[in-house]
Amino acid sequence: FNFSRASYLAGLMRPHIVRDLGLVDYGLRFLSRDPYSFTPGKTADDPGLTLWSSLSETRRSIGRYSARDAERFEDYEAFLG
């Protein structure tokens, strides 16, 4: 098992860069995480914000804070590309 302290940044690498450089041919492999992001709440009663691979679970988590943001999350992800 190998990893580097920069492994978080590797996960931000755009898919077209991986493809164009043929990095999979060199053994690059990303392991998925679910949930893929968690931000703790401000208080013990606040469950925090969790982002899941499931859109409905993510919307439910976001919706605890903002119904509008929960509805627009898919648009936000598309904007990020």
Coordinates of all heavy atoms in Angstrom, one line a residue:
F1 N 0.9 -1.2 0.0 CA 0.0 0.0 0.0 C 0.9 1.2 0.0 O 1.7 1.4 0.9 CB -0.9 0.0 1.2 CG -1.8 1.1 1.3 CD1 -2.9 1.2 0.5 CD2 -1.6 2.2 2.2 CE1 -3.8 2.3 0.6 CE2 -2.4 3.2 2.3 CZ -3.6 3.3 1.5
N2 N 0.8 2.0 -1.0 CA 1.6 3.3 -1.2 C 0.7 4.5 -1.3 O -0.4 4.4 -1.9 CB 2.5 3.2 -2.4 CG 3.5 2.1 -2.3 OD1 4.2 2.0 -1.3 ND2 3.6 1.3 -3.4
F3 N 1.1 5.5 -0.7 CA 0.4 6.8 -0.9 C 1.3 7.9 -0.5 O 2.4 7.7 0.1 CB -0.9 6.9 0.1 CG -0.6 7.0 1.5 CD1 -0.6 8.3 2.1 CD2 -0.3 5.9 2.3 CE1 -0.3 8.5 3.4 CE2 0.0 6.1 3.6 CZ 0.0 7.3 4.2
S4 N 0.9 9.1 -1.0 CA 1.8 10.2 -0.7 C 0.9 11.3 0.1 O -0.3 11.2 0.0 CB 2.4 10.8 -1.9 OG 1.6 11.9 -2.4
R5 N 1.6 12.2 0.7 CA 0.8 13.3 1.3 C 0.1 14.2 0.3 O -0.8 14.9 0.7 CB 1.8 14.2 2.1 CG 2.2 13.5 3.4 CD 3.2 14.3 4.1 NE 4.5 13.6 3.9 CZ 5.6 14.0 4.1 NH1 5.8 15.2 4.6 NH2 6.7 13.3 3.9
A6 N 0.4 14.0 -1.0 CA -0.2 14.8 -2.0 C -1.4 14.0 -2.6 O -2.0 14.4 -3.6 CB 0.7 15.1 -3.1
S7 N -1.8 12.9 -2.0 CA -2.8 12.0 -2.6 C -4.1 12.7 -2.7 O -4.9 12.5 -3.6 CB -2.9 10.7 -1.8 OG -3.3 11.0 -0.4
Y8 N -4.4 13.6 -1.8 CA -5.7 14.4 -1.8 C -5.7 15.2 -3.2 O -6.7 15.2 -3.9 CB -5.8 15.4 -0.7 CG -6.9 16.4 -0.9 CD1 -8.2 16.0 -0.7 CD2 -6.6 17.7 -1.2 CE1 -9.2 17.0 -0.9 CE2 -7.6 18.6 -1.4 CZ -8.9 18.3 -1.3 OH -9.9 19.2 -1.5
L9 N -4.6 15.8 -3.5 CA -4.5 16.6 -4.7 C -4.6 15.7 -6.0 O -5.2 16.2 -7.0 CB -3.2 17.4 -4.8 CG -3.1 18.5 -3.7 CD1 -1.7 19.1 -3.7 CD2 -4.1 19.5 -3.8
A10 N -4.1 14.5 -5.9 CA -4.2 13.6 -7.1 C -5.7 13.4 -7.4 O -6.0 13.2 -8.6 CB -3.5 12.3 -6.8
G11 N -6.5 13.3 -6.4 CA -7.9 13.1 -6.6 C -8.6 14.2 -7.3 O -9.7 14.1 -7.8
L12 N -8.0 15.4 -7.3 CA -8.6 16.6 -8.0 C -8.1 16.6 -9.4 O -8.6 17.5 -10.2 CB -8.1 17.8 -7.3 CG -8.5 18.0 -5.8 CD1 -7.9 19.2 -5.2 CD2 -10.0 18.0 -5.7
M13 N -7.3 15.7 -9.8 CA -6.8 15.7 -11.2 C -7.9 15.5 -12.2 O -8.7 14.6 -12.0 CB -5.7 14.6 -11.4 CG -5.0 14.7 -12.7 SD -3.7 13.5 -12.9 CE -2.7 13.8 -11.4
R14 N -8.0 16.3 -13.2 CA -9.0 16.1 -14.2 C -8.9 14.8 -15.0 O -7.8 14.5 -15.4 CB -9.0 17.3 -15.2 CG -9.1 18.7 -14.6 CD -10.5 18.9 -14.3 NE -10.7 20.3 -13.8 CZ -11.9 20.7 -13.4 NH1 -12.9 20.0 -13.5 NH2 -12.0 22.0 -13.0
P15 N -10.0 14.2 -15.3 CA -9.9 12.9 -16.0 C -9.2 13.0 -17.4 O -8.5 12.1 -17.8 CB -11.4 12.5 -16.2 CG -12.1 13.2 -15.1 CD -11.3 14.5 -14.9
H16 N -9.3 14.1 -18.1 CA -8.7 14.2 -19.4 C -7.2 14.3 -19.3 O -6.5 13.8 -20.2 CB -9.2 15.4 -20.2 CG -8.8 16.7 -19.7 ND1 -9.4 17.4 -18.7 CD2 -7.7 17.5 -20.1 CE1 -8.8 18.6 -18.5 NE2 -7.7 18.7 -19.3
I17 N -6.6 14.7 -18.1 CA -5.2 14.7 -17.9 C -4.7 13.3 -17.7 O -3.7 12.9 -18.3 CB -4.8 15.6 -16.7 CG1 -5.1 17.1 -17.1 CG2 -3.3 15.5 -16.4 CD1 -5.0 18.1 -15.9
V18 N -5.4 12.6 -16.9 CA -5.1 11.2 -16.7 C -5.1 10.4 -18.0 O -4.2 9.7 -18.4 CB -6.1 10.5 -15.7 CG1 -5.8 9.0 -15.6 CG2 -6.0 11.2 -14.3
R19 N -6.1 10.6 -18.8 CA -6.2 10.0 -20.1 C -5.1 10.4 -21.1 O -4.5 9.6 -21.7 CB -7.6 10.3 -20.7 CG -7.9 9.6 -22.0 CD -9.2 9.9 -22.7 NE -9.3 11.4 -22.9 CZ -10.1 12.2 -22.2 NH1 -10.9 11.8 -21.3 NH2 -10.2 13.5 -22.5
D20 N -4.9 11.7 -21.2 CA -4.0 12.2 -22.2 C -2.5 11.8 -21.9 O -1.7 11.6 -22.8 CB -4.0 13.8 -22.3 CG -5.3 14.3 -22.9 OD1 -6.1 13.5 -23.4 OD2 -5.5 15.5 -22.8
L21 N -2.2 11.7 -20.6 CA -0.9 11.3 -20.2 C -0.7 9.8 -20.1 O 0.4 9.2 -19.9 CB -0.5 11.9 -18.9 CG -0.3 13.4 -18.9 CD1 0.0 14.0 -17.5 CD2 0.8 13.9 -19.9
G22 N -1.8 9.0 -20.3 CA -1.8 7.6 -20.2 C -1.4 7.1 -18.8 O -0.7 6.1 -18.7
L23 N -1.8 7.8 -17.8 CA -1.3 7.5 -16.5 C -1.8 6.1 -16.0 O -1.1 5.5 -15.2 CB -1.7 8.6 -15.5 CG -1.1 9.9 -15.8 CD1 -1.6 11.0 -14.8 CD2 0.4 9.9 -15.8
V24 N -2.9 5.6 -16.4 CA -3.4 4.3 -16.1 C -2.4 3.2 -16.5 O -2.1 2.2 -15.8 CB -4.8 4.0 -16.6 CG1 -5.2 2.6 -16.4 CG2 -5.8 5.0 -16.0
D25 N -1.7 3.5 -17.7 CA -0.7 2.5 -18.2 C 0.5 2.4 -17.3 O 1.2 1.5 -17.3 CB -0.3 2.9 -19.6 CG -1.4 2.8 -20.6 OD1 -2.4 2.1 -20.4 OD2 -1.4 3.6 -21.6
Y26 N 0.7 3.5 -16.5 CA 1.8 3.5 -15.6 C 1.4 3.0 -14.2 O 2.2 3.1 -13.2 CB 2.4 4.9 -15.5 CG 3.1 5.3 -16.7 CD1 2.4 6.1 -17.7 CD2 4.4 4.9 -17.0 CE1 3.0 6.5 -18.8 CE2 5.0 5.3 -18.2 CZ 4.3 6.1 -19.1 OH 5.0 6.5 -20.2
G27 N 0.2 2.6 -14.0 CA -0.3 2.0 -12.8 C -1.1 2.9 -11.9 O -1.5 2.6 -10.8
L28 N -1.5 4.1 -12.4 CA -2.3 5.0 -11.6 C -3.7 4.4 -11.4 O -4.3 3.9 -12.3 CB -2.5 6.4 -12.3 CG -3.4 7.4 -11.5 CD1 -2.7 7.8 -10.2 CD2 -3.7 8.6 -12.4
R29 N -4.1 4.4 -10.1 CA -5.4 3.8 -9.8 C -6.0 4.7 -8.7 O -5.3 5.0 -7.7 CB -5.2 2.4 -9.3 CG -6.5 1.6 -9.1 CD -6.2 0.2 -8.9 NE -5.3 0.0 -7.8 CZ -5.6 -0.8 -6.7 NH1 -6.8 -1.4 -6.7 NH2 -4.8 -0.9 -5.7
F30 N -7.2 5.1 -8.8 CA -7.9 5.9 -7.8 C -8.9 5.0 -7.1 O -9.6 4.2 -7.8 CB -8.7 7.1 -8.4 CG -7.8 8.2 -8.9 CD1 -7.6 8.4 -10.3 CD2 -7.1 9.0 -8.0 CE1 -6.8 9.4 -10.7 CE2 -6.2 10.0 -8.5 CZ -6.1 10.2 -9.8
L31 N -8.9 5.0 -5.8 CA -9.9 4.3 -5.0 C -11.0 5.2 -4.6 O -10.8 6.3 -4.1 CB -9.2 3.7 -3.8 CG -8.0 2.8 -4.0 CD1 -7.4 2.4 -2.7 CD2 -8.4 1.6 -4.9
S32 N -12.2 4.8 -4.9 CA -13.4 5.7 -4.5 C -13.7 5.6 -3.0 O -13.3 4.7 -2.3 CB -14.6 5.2 -5.3 OG -15.0 3.9 -5.0
R33 N -14.2 6.7 -2.6 CA -14.6 6.8 -1.2 C -16.1 7.2 -1.1 O -16.6 7.9 -1.9 CB -13.8 8.0 -0.5 CG -12.3 7.8 -0.5 CD -11.6 9.0 0.0 NE -11.8 10.1 -1.0 CZ -12.0 11.4 -0.8 NH1 -12.0 11.8 0.4 NH2 -12.1 12.2 -1.7
D34 N -16.8 6.6 -0.1 CA -18.2 6.9 0.0 C -18.5 6.9 1.5 O -18.5 5.8 2.1 CB -19.1 6.0 -0.8 CG -20.5 6.5 -1.0 OD1 -20.6 7.7 -1.0 OD2 -21.3 5.7 -1.2
P35 N -18.7 8.0 2.1 CA -18.9 9.4 1.5 C -17.5 9.9 1.1 O -16.5 9.5 1.6 CB -19.4 10.2 2.7 CG -18.9 9.5 3.9 CD -18.9 8.1 3.6
Y36 N -17.6 10.8 0.1 CA -16.3 11.4 -0.4 C -15.9 12.7 0.2 O -14.8 13.2 0.0 CB -16.4 11.5 -1.9 CG -17.4 12.4 -2.5 CD1 -17.1 13.8 -2.7 CD2 -18.6 12.0 -2.9 CE1 -18.0 14.6 -3.3 CE2 -19.6 12.8 -3.5 CZ -19.3 14.1 -3.7 OH -20.2 15.0 -4.2
S37 N -16.8 13.2 1.0 CA -16.5 14.5 1.7 C -17.4 14.6 3.0 O -18.5 14.3 3.0 CB -16.7 15.7 0.8 OG -16.4 16.9 1.5
F38 N -16.7 15.1 4.1 CA -17.5 15.4 5.3 C -16.9 16.6 5.9 O -15.7 16.8 6.1 CB -17.3 14.2 6.3 CG -17.9 14.5 7.6 CD1 -19.3 14.6 7.8 CD2 -17.1 14.8 8.7 CE1 -19.8 14.9 9.0 CE2 -17.6 15.1 10.0 CZ -19.0 15.1 10.1
T39 N -17.8 17.5 6.3 CA -17.5 18.7 7.0 C -18.3 18.7 8.3 O -19.5 18.7 8.3 CB -17.9 20.0 6.2 OG1 -17.3 19.9 4.9 CG2 -17.5 21.3 6.9
P40 N -17.5 18.7 9.5 CA -18.2 18.6 10.8 C -19.1 19.8 11.0 O -18.9 20.9 10.5 CB -17.1 18.6 11.8 CG -15.9 18.3 11.0 CD -16.1 18.7 9.6
G41 N -20.1 19.6 11.8 CA -21.0 20.7 12.2 C -20.4 21.6 13.2 O -19.3 21.3 13.8
K42 N -21.0 22.7 13.5 CA -20.5 23.7 14.4 C -20.7 23.3 15.9 O -20.0 23.8 16.8 CB -21.1 25.1 14.2 CG -20.7 25.7 12.9 CD -21.3 27.1 12.8 CE -20.8 27.8 11.5 NZ -21.3 29.2 11.4
T43 N -21.7 22.5 16.1 CA -22.1 22.1 17.5 C -22.2 20.6 17.5 O -22.3 19.9 16.5 CB -23.4 22.7 17.9 OG1 -24.5 22.2 17.2 CG2 -23.4 24.3 17.8
A44 N -22.3 20.0 18.7 CA -22.5 18.6 18.9 C -23.9 18.1 18.3 O -24.0 17.0 17.8 CB -22.4 18.2 20.3
D45 N -24.8 19.0 18.2 CA -26.2 18.7 17.7 C -26.2 18.8 16.2 O -27.2 18.4 15.6 CB -27.2 19.6 18.3 CG -27.4 19.4 19.8 OD1 -27.1 18.3 20.3 OD2 -27.8 20.3 20.5
D46 N -25.3 19.4 15.6 CA -25.2 19.6 14.1 C -24.5 18.4 13.5 O -23.3 18.2 13.7 CB -24.5 20.9 13.8 CG -24.4 21.3 12.4 OD1 -24.8 20.4 11.5 OD2 -24.0 22.4 12.1
P47 N -25.2 17.6 12.6 CA -24.6 16.4 12.0 C -23.5 16.7 11.0 O -22.8 15.8 10.6 CB -25.8 15.7 11.4 CG -26.8 16.8 11.1 CD -26.6 17.8 12.2
G48 N -23.4 17.9 10.6 CA -22.4 18.3 9.6 C -22.9 18.0 8.2 O -24.1 17.6 8.0
L49 N -22.0 18.2 7.2 CA -22.4 18.1 5.8 C -21.6 16.9 5.2 O -20.4 16.9 5.3 CB -22.0 19.4 5.1 CG -22.3 19.4 3.6 CD1 -23.8 19.3 3.3 CD2 -21.7 20.6 2.9
T50 N -22.3 16.0 4.7 CA -21.7 14.8 4.1 C -22.1 14.7 2.6 O -23.3 14.8 2.3 CB -22.2 13.5 4.8 OG1 -21.9 13.7 6.2 CG2 -21.5 12.3 4.3
L51 N -21.1 14.5 1.8 CA -21.4 14.3 0.4 C -21.1 12.9 0.0 O -20.1 12.3 0.3 CB -20.5 15.2 -0.5 CG -20.5 16.7 -0.1 CD1 -19.6 17.5 -1.0 CD2 -21.9 17.3 -0.2
W52 N -22.2 12.3 -0.6 CA -22.2 10.8 -1.0 C -22.1 10.6 -2.5 O -22.4 11.6 -3.2 CB -23.4 10.2 -0.4 CG -23.6 10.4 1.1 CD1 -24.2 11.4 1.7 CD2 -23.2 9.5 2.1 NE1 -24.2 11.2 3.0 CE2 -23.6 10.0 3.3 CE3 -22.5 8.2 2.1 CZ2 -23.4 9.4 4.5 CZ3 -22.3 7.6 3.3 CH2 -22.7 8.2 4.5
S53 N -21.8 9.4 -2.9 CA -21.9 9.1 -4.3 C -23.4 9.1 -4.8 O -23.7 9.3 -5.9 CB -21.3 7.8 -4.7 OG -21.9 6.8 -4.0
S54 N -24.3 8.9 -3.8 CA -25.7 9.0 -4.1 C -26.2 10.4 -4.1 O -26.1 11.1 -3.1 CB -26.5 8.2 -3.1 OG -27.9 8.5 -3.1
L55 N -26.8 10.9 -5.2 CA -27.3 12.2 -5.3 C -28.4 12.5 -4.3 O -28.4 13.5 -3.7 CB -27.8 12.5 -6.7 CG -28.3 13.9 -7.0 CD1 -27.3 15.0 -6.7 CD2 -28.9 14.0 -8.4
S56 N -29.2 11.5 -4.1 CA -30.3 11.7 -3.1 C -29.8 11.8 -1.7 O -30.3 12.7 -0.9 CB -31.4 10.6 -3.2 OG -30.8 9.3 -2.9
E57 N -28.8 11.1 -1.3 CA -28.2 11.2 0.0 C -27.5 12.5 0.2 O -27.6 13.2 1.2 CB -27.2 10.0 0.3 CG -27.9 8.7 0.4 CD -28.7 8.6 1.7 OE1 -28.3 9.2 2.7 OE2 -29.8 8.0 1.6
T58 N -26.8 13.0 -0.8 CA -26.1 14.2 -0.8 C -27.2 15.4 -0.7 O -27.0 16.3 0.1 CB -25.2 14.4 -2.0 OG1 -24.2 13.4 -2.0 CG2 -24.6 15.8 -2.0
R59 N -28.2 15.3 -1.5 CA -29.2 16.4 -1.4 C -29.9 16.4 0.0 O -30.2 17.5 0.5 CB -30.3 16.1 -2.5 CG -29.9 16.6 -3.8 CD -31.1 16.4 -4.8 NE -30.7 16.9 -6.1 CZ -31.4 16.6 -7.2 NH1 -32.4 15.8 -7.1 NH2 -31.1 17.2 -8.3
R60 N -30.1 15.3 0.6 CA -30.7 15.2 1.9 C -29.7 15.9 2.9 O -30.2 16.7 3.8 CB -30.9 13.7 2.3 CG -31.8 13.6 3.6 CD -32.2 12.2 3.9 NE -31.8 11.1 3.1 CZ -32.5 10.6 2.1 NH1 -33.7 11.2 1.7 NH2 -32.1 9.6 1.3
S61 N -28.5 15.6 2.8 CA -27.5 16.2 3.7 C -27.4 17.8 3.5 O -27.5 18.5 4.5 CB -26.1 15.6 3.5 OG -25.1 16.2 4.3
I62 N -27.4 18.2 2.3 CA -27.3 19.6 2.0 C -28.6 20.3 2.4 O -28.6 21.4 2.9 CB -27.1 19.9 0.5 CG1 -25.7 19.4 0.1 CG2 -27.2 21.4 0.1 CD1 -25.4 19.4 -1.4
G63 N -29.7 19.6 2.2 CA -31.1 20.1 2.5 C -31.3 20.5 3.9 O -32.1 21.3 4.3
R64 N -30.5 19.9 4.8 CA -30.6 20.3 6.3 C -30.2 21.8 6.5 O -30.5 22.4 7.4 CB -29.7 19.4 7.1 CG -30.2 18.0 7.3 CD -29.5 17.2 8.4 NE -28.1 17.0 8.0 CZ -27.6 15.8 7.5 NH1 -28.4 14.8 7.3 NH2 -26.4 15.7 7.3
Y65 N -29.4 22.3 5.5 CA -28.9 23.7 5.6 C -29.6 24.6 4.6 O -29.8 25.8 4.9 CB -27.4 23.7 5.4 CG -26.7 22.9 6.4 CD1 -26.3 21.6 6.1 CD2 -26.4 23.4 7.7 CE1 -25.6 20.8 7.1 CE2 -25.8 22.6 8.6 CZ -25.4 21.3 8.3 OH -24.7 20.5 9.3
S66 N -29.9 24.1 3.4 CA -30.5 24.9 2.4 C -31.2 24.1 1.4 O -30.5 23.3 0.6 CB -29.4 25.8 1.7 OG -29.9 26.4 0.5
A67 N -32.5 24.2 1.3 CA -33.3 23.5 0.3 C -32.9 23.9 -1.1 O -32.8 23.1 -2.0 CB -34.8 23.7 0.6
R68 N -32.7 25.2 -1.3 CA -32.3 25.7 -2.6 C -31.0 25.1 -3.1 O -30.8 24.7 -4.2 CB -32.2 27.2 -2.6 CG -31.9 27.8 -3.9 CD -31.9 29.4 -3.9 NE -31.6 29.9 -5.2 CZ -30.4 30.3 -5.6 NH1 -29.3 30.1 -4.8 NH2 -30.2 30.8 -6.8
D69 N -30.0 25.1 -2.2 CA -28.7 24.5 -2.5 C -28.8 23.0 -2.8 O -28.1 22.5 -3.7 CB -27.7 24.8 -1.4 CG -27.2 26.2 -1.4 OD1 -27.5 27.0 -2.3 OD2 -26.6 26.6 -0.4
A70 N -29.6 22.3 -2.1 CA -29.8 20.9 -2.3 C -30.4 20.7 -3.7 O -29.9 19.8 -4.4 CB -30.8 20.3 -1.3
E71 N -31.3 21.5 -4.1 CA -31.9 21.3 -5.4 C -30.9 21.7 -6.6 O -31.0 21.1 -7.6 CB -33.2 22.2 -5.6 CG -34.4 21.7 -4.9 CD -34.8 20.4 -5.4 OE1 -34.9 20.2 -6.6 OE2 -35.1 19.5 -4.6
R72 N -30.0 22.6 -6.3 CA -29.1 23.1 -7.3 C -27.8 22.3 -7.3 O -26.9 22.6 -8.2 CB -28.8 24.6 -7.1 CG -30.0 25.5 -7.1 CD -30.5 26.1 -8.4 NE -29.6 26.3 -9.4 CZ -29.0 27.4 -9.7 NH1 -29.2 28.5 -9.0 NH2 -28.2 27.5 -10.8
F73 N -27.6 21.4 -6.4 CA -26.3 20.7 -6.3 C -25.8 20.1 -7.6 O -24.7 20.1 -8.0 CB -26.3 19.7 -5.2 CG -25.0 19.0 -5.0 CD1 -23.9 19.6 -4.5 CD2 -24.9 17.6 -5.4 CE1 -22.7 19.0 -4.3 CE2 -23.7 17.0 -5.3 CZ -22.6 17.6 -4.7
E74 N -26.8 19.4 -8.3 CA -26.4 18.7 -9.5 C -25.9 19.8 -10.6 O -24.9 19.5 -11.3 CB -27.6 17.9 -10.1 CG -27.2 16.9 -11.1 CD -28.3 16.0 -11.4 OE1 -29.5 16.2 -11.0 OE2 -28.0 14.9 -12.0
D75 N -26.5 20.9 -10.6 CA -26.1 22.0 -11.5 C -24.7 22.5 -11.1 O -23.8 22.7 -12.0 CB -27.0 23.2 -11.5 CG -28.4 22.9 -12.0 OD1 -28.5 21.9 -12.8 OD2 -29.4 23.5 -11.5
Y76 N -24.4 22.6 -9.9 CA -23.1 23.0 -9.4 C -22.0 22.0 -9.8 O -21.0 22.3 -10.3 CB -23.2 23.1 -7.8 CG -21.9 23.3 -7.2 CD1 -21.2 24.6 -7.3 CD2 -21.2 22.3 -6.4 CE1 -20.0 24.8 -6.7 CE2 -20.0 22.5 -5.8 CZ -19.4 23.8 -5.9 OH -18.2 23.9 -5.3
E77 N -22.3 20.7 -9.6 CA -21.4 19.6 -10.0 C -21.1 19.7 -11.5 O -20.0 19.5 -11.9 CB -21.9 18.3 -9.6 CG -21.9 18.0 -8.1 CD -20.5 17.6 -7.7 OE1 -20.1 16.4 -7.9 OE2 -19.8 18.4 -7.1
A78 N -22.1 19.9 -12.3 CA -22.0 20.0 -13.8 C -21.1 21.2 -14.1 O -20.3 21.2 -15.0 CB -23.3 20.1 -14.4
F79 N -21.3 22.3 -13.4 CA -20.5 23.5 -13.6 C -19.0 23.3 -13.4 O -18.2 23.7 -14.1 CB -21.0 24.7 -12.8 CG -20.2 25.9 -12.7 CD1 -20.1 26.8 -13.8 CD2 -19.3 26.1 -11.7 CE1 -19.3 27.9 -13.8 CE2 -18.5 27.3 -11.7 CZ -18.5 28.1 -12.7
L80 N -18.7 22.5 -12.3 CA -17.3 22.2 -12.0 C -16.7 21.3 -13.1 O -15.5 21.2 -13.2 CB -17.3 21.6 -10.6 CG -17.6 22.5 -9.5 CD1 -17.5 21.7 -8.2 CD2 -16.7 23.7 -9.4
G81 N -17.6 20.5 -13.8 CA -17.1 19.7 -14.8 C -16.6 18.4 -14.3 O -15.8 17.6 -14.6

